[in-house]
Amino acid sequence: MCGIVGYIGPKALDSVLLVGLKKLEYRGYDSAGIAVLNKDELSICKAKGKIINLEEQLKSQGLNGHAGIGHTRWATHGEPSTKNAHPHTNSDANLAVVHNGIIENYLEIKNDLISKGYVFVSDTDTEVIPHLLDYEIKKNISLQDAFLNCLKKIDGKFAIAMISEKESNKIFFARNGAPLILGKGKKSIPESFIASDLPAIIPIAREVIYINDGEWGYIENNKIEIFNLQNSPIEVKLEPIEITEEEIEKGKYPHFMLKEIYEQTSILQKIIDTRLDSDNRIIFEELTFDNEYLSRIGRVIIQACGTSLNAGLIGKLYLEILSKLTTDADFSSEFRYRNPVAGGDTLVIGISQSGETADTLAGLHEAKAKFLKVLSFVNNKNSSISRESDSIIDLMAGPEIGVASTKAYTAELVSLFLFSLYMSSIRWAMPKEEKFKLINELKTLPEKIEQILQKLEPIQEIANYLKNVSNTLYLGRTFNYATALEGALKLKEISYIHASGYAGGEFKHGPIALISEEVPSIVIVPEGEIRKKTISNLLEVKARKGKIISIITENDKEVKDISDFYVEIPKICEPLSPILTVIPLQLIAYYTAVYRGCDVDKPRNLAKSVTVE
Ligand code: G6P
């Protein structure tokens, strides 16, 4: 969704801002713009569509200066257009604002300002900020006081950056519910940064501080000042950046998604190495809940969105089967509004790779309002969800740039699996031998994923067939029901082919009506207790002349013979099979999208981090 970058310092401003905006592209956007201060003069450049359009315009407009802010906009209020693109200014065009989030009371403020003679030129909620600031400034107070007064009048979620001709040596900022980071470059260079997301200021920033809700202030070349809403100063504690430039570059891969699919081997290895000691004991260093509390948990509710919820559906099975804990998994967007009945012994688990998903964050607030404890599985320790949870489990997947989540998903699965085994020990829910058997199986995953990644031909053959298809069905049961959902989600997200995932047992209750020669079924049928039942689904498809693509355990001759296409995965116990079966499905979606000429890393209308409801 929307992204912010700001810079004050000696470097070529247009290029710093453009590089930053490009690094934010993966979040999803439909227009972009920058505002710069050159000496005391403000200039703006905006363009609809991709950053390249902004770049083209900048070539003719040639903006430069010593301080500037940039923005990528994902339309909420008003269509994607140049007029609605940020930065927005007051009517005198001497101050400019970029904003992420939503100003909830914007209409009230807008109507009030209109009655005072202010003229609005865009359809956005954001535009109230520069006009309100203008109104406050005209009370003859300092810019700093005007900014604070303005913050006190706006409601909603926001991250804001603002520059003004009045104090051209500063970039003002504020955060309430949307992430914002401040940074400094090399000690020898008098420069400071603002960003909504770390990649925007890597590699030039060296140290950063993640600011909290209700904090605001300004950056100068050599100074960062932060205040709270009571106007008291907050200590500025900068920390070194942990993410490397390499982690946010494509390297030898044509797309981030492919890079991230291939990274799954090393990420799972890292998780296994970090979470298991030499005696196969499970360690969650960051988990602040003690065993006494954990043993008292009587029920778990998992709430998440999209791919993270698919992981949560498998997590539900892990917690129920391995830890014998009653568990529900629900869409955060439903959980937050359905007023769930939950006793004090309920633990709410949030899962989110970004840690910023608005619905998941709201689900967390809903749980807290009911005095329930919240544990979140997150890939960003500094995210809003991390900060507001009672405790977290770090997914350790590294930055995920491709919009379609891949490595974060398998990291979520492995982390949920290990957490369930951890809980099973606390609850004495499983004999030790069985637990160690599962751990030993888990340790084989990285090598088995590698084996799947080595054999691309059958996958590419399937993608080549699917590229001309309009509708697909994905079927799976028990541990692989959610794999069917995830496989279908991946395909539709990036190739725009309609795909629906179903539980195999539900197939006869409706979806079977869709089967024809033109509608293939992708059936996940690894070795295990449920295999025979899933084969019945295959036969039902076959009887109706539907094409069958199956994901099978190696050498499963029976299923091979029924299938039109198949991909083999190495042998693995059933609970861990979703971590392998999803790999070919990710690759099938990837190659199908590539063969259809789709923009794999930046699919239309999607955002990596959905920070509005
Ligand atoms: C968006 C992304 C999905 C992601 C979902 C949840 O819709 O496009 O890929 O699964 O948000 O994101 P989260 O960051 O909470 O895991």
Side-chain angles (χ1 to χ4, degrees):
M1 298 209 136
C2 302
I4 292 176
V5 61
Y7 177 75
I8 184 158
K11 298 204 169 90
L13 194 57
D14 52 354
S15 69
V16 174
L17 294 180
L18 278 174
V19 168
L21 290 178
K22 281 185 188 158
K23 297 275 186 230
L24 293 173
E25 279 191 294
Y26 77 102
R27 297 174 58 89
Y29 71 105
D30 42 52
S31 57
I34 65 172
V36 304
L37 282 165
N38 195 354
K39 298 204 176 80
D40 287 337
E41 204 182 315
L42 181 82
S43 315
I44 309 263
C45 182
K46 312 202 258 192
K48 188 184 159 185
K50 297 281 176 198
I51 303 226
I52 186 114
N53 302 349
L54 179 69
E55 224 170 340
E56 282 303 313
Q57 204 162 307
L58 275 171
K59 274 185 200 152
S60 50
Q61 223 173 311
L63 289 196
N64 231 323
H66 64 280
I69 51 179
H71 191 259
T72 47
R73 173 176 186 256
W74 191 88
T76 56
H77 297 63
E79 57 169 18
S81 63
T82 308
K83 126 185 137 170
N84 288 332
H86 301 206
H88 290 286
T89 68
N90 57 342
S91 302
D92 295 337
N94 56 20
L95 63 90
V97 171
V98 293
H99 157 230
N100 288 358
I102 289 177
I103 308 295
E104 279 159 14
N105 59 341
Y106 85 100
L107 258 184
E108 204 182 305
I109 298 173
K110 187 171 176 174
N111 289 336
D112 183 45
L113 288 168
I114 289 172
S115 74
K116 291 185 165 92
Y118 280 86
V119 177
F120 283 74
V121 295
S122 78
D123 310 313
T124 64
D125 52 334
T126 304
E127 202 190 342
V128 299
I129 305 172
H131 292 305
L132 189 57
L133 261 169
D134 183 278
Y135 174 72
E136 291 293 330
I137 290 166
K138 286 190 174 140
K139 288 180 180 167
N140 264 332
I141 54 174
S142 70
L143 184 56
Q144 204 164 317
D145 288 343
F147 192 68
L148 179 58
N149 284 355
C150 175
L151 294 179
K152 287 183 177 165
K153 288 184 178 165
I154 55 177
D155 294 334
K157 284 186 160 203
F158 52 79
I160 296 169
M162 187 275 289
I163 50 174
S164 162
E165 289 180 357
K166 210 171 172 209
E167 289 194 37
S168 63
N169 60 334
K170 292 185 170 83
I171 302 178
F172 283 81
F173 62 82
R175 169 190 164 136
N176 190 47
L180 205 56
I181 304 163
L182 310 175
K184 294 288 297 166
K186 274 191 193 152
K187 288 246 176 326
S188 56
I189 306 176
E191 60 183 2
S192 306
F193 309 88
I194 289 182
S196 55
D197 201 7
L198 203 50
I201 50 175
I202 291 174
I204 39 180
R206 292 286 183 275
E207 296 176 295
V208 286
I209 174 167
Y210 291 80
I211 63 163
N212 297 307
D213 286 349
E215 292 180 351
W216 67 283
Y218 56 83
I219 56 168
E220 293 180 0
N221 291 57
N222 280 316
K223 197 154 122 193
I224 294 180
E225 291 281 358
I226 307 177
F227 305 93
N228 61 20
L229 288 175
Q230 288 70 48
N231 215 357
S232 309
I234 305 276
E235 191 190 352
V236 180
K237 267 198 207 150
L238 293 162
E239 291 166 14
I241 294 179
E242 284 173 7
I243 296 169
T244 63
E245 199 182 346
E246 208 188 356
E247 285 179 270
I248 56 157
E249 294 295 342
K250 282 198 283 242
K252 61 178 183 186
Y253 294 93
H255 296 101
F256 281 108
M257 184 178 174
L258 192 63
K259 178 187 178 220
E260 287 157 6
I261 290 174
Y262 273 82
E263 277 174 353
Q264 292 177 106
T265 316
S266 58
I267 289 163
L268 293 206
Q269 191 61 59
K270 182 172 153 203
I271 298 175
I272 292 167
D273 293 346
T274 313
R275 297 300 185 197
L276 293 172
D277 71 8
S278 50
D279 296 324
N280 279 344
R281 266 192 303 257
I282 300 167
I283 311 151
F284 284 110
E285 244 173 37
E286 68 278 39
L287 185 66
T288 51
F289 295 146
D290 58 25
N291 287 2
E292 204 267 320
Y293 165 70
L294 291 172
S295 65
R296 280 191 287 111
I297 295 170
R299 180 184 173 204
V300 175
I301 304 178
I302 297 175
Q303 55 108 11
C305 303
T307 290
S308 291
L309 178 61
N310 292 338
L313 290 168
I314 298 173
K316 166 190 153 74
L317 297 184
Y318 288 160
L319 283 163
E320 285 191 343
I321 295 167
L322 309 179
S323 334
K324 309 281 180 284
L325 251 173
T326 307
T327 307
D328 299 311
D330 203 354
F331 301 104
S332 298
S333 53
E334 290 295 315
F335 172 77
R336 66 182 286 192
Y337 289 120
R338 75 175 159 86
N339 194 13
V341 178
D345 64 346
T346 305
L347 171 71
V348 173
I349 291 184
I351 310 174
S352 174
Q353 59 78 26
S354 65
E356 300 295 344
T357 303
D359 280 323
T360 313
L361 192 57
L364 182 159
H365 293 152
E366 177 65 22
K368 290 209 144 184
K370 290 186 172 341
F371 303 104
L372 304 175
K373 286 233 186 289
V374 176
L375 169 67
S376 295
F377 287 64
V378 280
N379 201 29
N380 179 353
K381 286 185 280 179
N382 290 299
S383 60
S384 306
I385 291 178
S386 291
R387 284 152 177 255
E388 296 191 35
S389 300
D390 295 300
S391 187
I392 64 152
I393 285 184
D394 181 6
L395 295 172
M396 299 191 287
E400 191 176 66
I401 310 288
V403 166
S405 183
T406 51
K407 62 176 183 173
Y409 176 71
T410 44
E412 286 167 352
L413 289 181
V414 173
S415 305
L416 285 161
F417 180 81
L418 282 164
F419 179 69
S420 305
L421 286 184
Y422 186 80
M423 288 298 288
S424 86
S425 302
I426 290 172
R427 295 169 58 80
W428 299 89
M430 184 191 286
K432 255 189 180 164
E433 307 68 53
E434 207 176 308
K435 186 177 134 195
F436 288 137
K437 217 172 131 197
L438 284 170
I439 287 178
N440 286 331
E441 283 268 300
L442 178 77
K443 286 179 169 173
T444 68
L445 277 178
E447 196 199 317
K448 290 177 179 169
I449 292 180
E450 195 55 42
Q451 283 173 34
I452 300 172
L453 294 173
Q454 296 301 325
K455 276 199 213 151
L456 287 181
E457 298 80 31
I459 288 165
Q460 288 168 332
E461 204 188 319
I462 293 166
N464 200 37
Y465 160 69
L466 284 180
K467 72 172 198 264
N468 299 316
V469 158
S470 309
N471 292 292
T472 55
L473 299 181
Y474 282 68
L475 303 177
R477 286 170 181 254
T478 66
F479 288 105
N480 282 294
Y481 158 50
T483 313
L485 299 181
E486 178 57 11
L489 183 63
K490 286 284 89 77
L491 189 74
K492 67 185 149 213
E493 274 182 316
I494 57 169
S495 76
Y496 317 136
I497 294 172
H498 172 249
S500 291
Y502 296 99
E506 278 295 295
F507 183 54
K508 282 201 261 321
H509 302 291
I512 198 166
L514 296 169
I515 295 297
S516 73
E517 271 177 81
E518 283 78 46
V519 182
S521 300
I522 293 103
V523 189
I524 301 119
V525 54
E527 200 176 85
E529 279 179 29
I530 207 71
R531 175 178 163 277
K532 278 271 171 242
K533 299 281 175 204
T534 315
I535 291 178
S536 313
N537 292 136
L538 284 172
L539 295 170
E540 287 154 8
V541 173
K542 184 116 186 141
R544 285 155 187 87
K545 299 200 167 20
K547 286 254 185 300
I548 295 168
I549 299 164
S550 58
I551 311 295
I552 58 172
T553 303
E554 58 198 359
N555 304 322
D556 185 340
K557 188 164 177 326
E558 184 183 357
V559 182
K560 273 187 196 175
D561 289 347
I562 318 169
S563 307
D564 297 278
F565 302 91
Y566 59 84
V567 183
E568 293 174 280
I569 60 154
K571 269 185 197 302
I572 192 89
C573 66
E574 208 166 9
L576 288 170
S577 65
I579 303 170
L580 294 187
T581 51
V582 76
I583 309 284
L585 298 182
Q586 293 170 343
L587 286 164
I588 287 171
Y590 171 78
Y591 283 108
T592 307
V594 169
Y595 297 162
R596 283 164 69 88
C598 301
D599 190 349
V600 175
D601 285 334
K602 286 171 249 136
R604 71 182 177 211
N605 306 336
L606 297 182
K608 181 72 186 157
S609 160
V610 180
T611 48
V612 296
E613 199 180 336

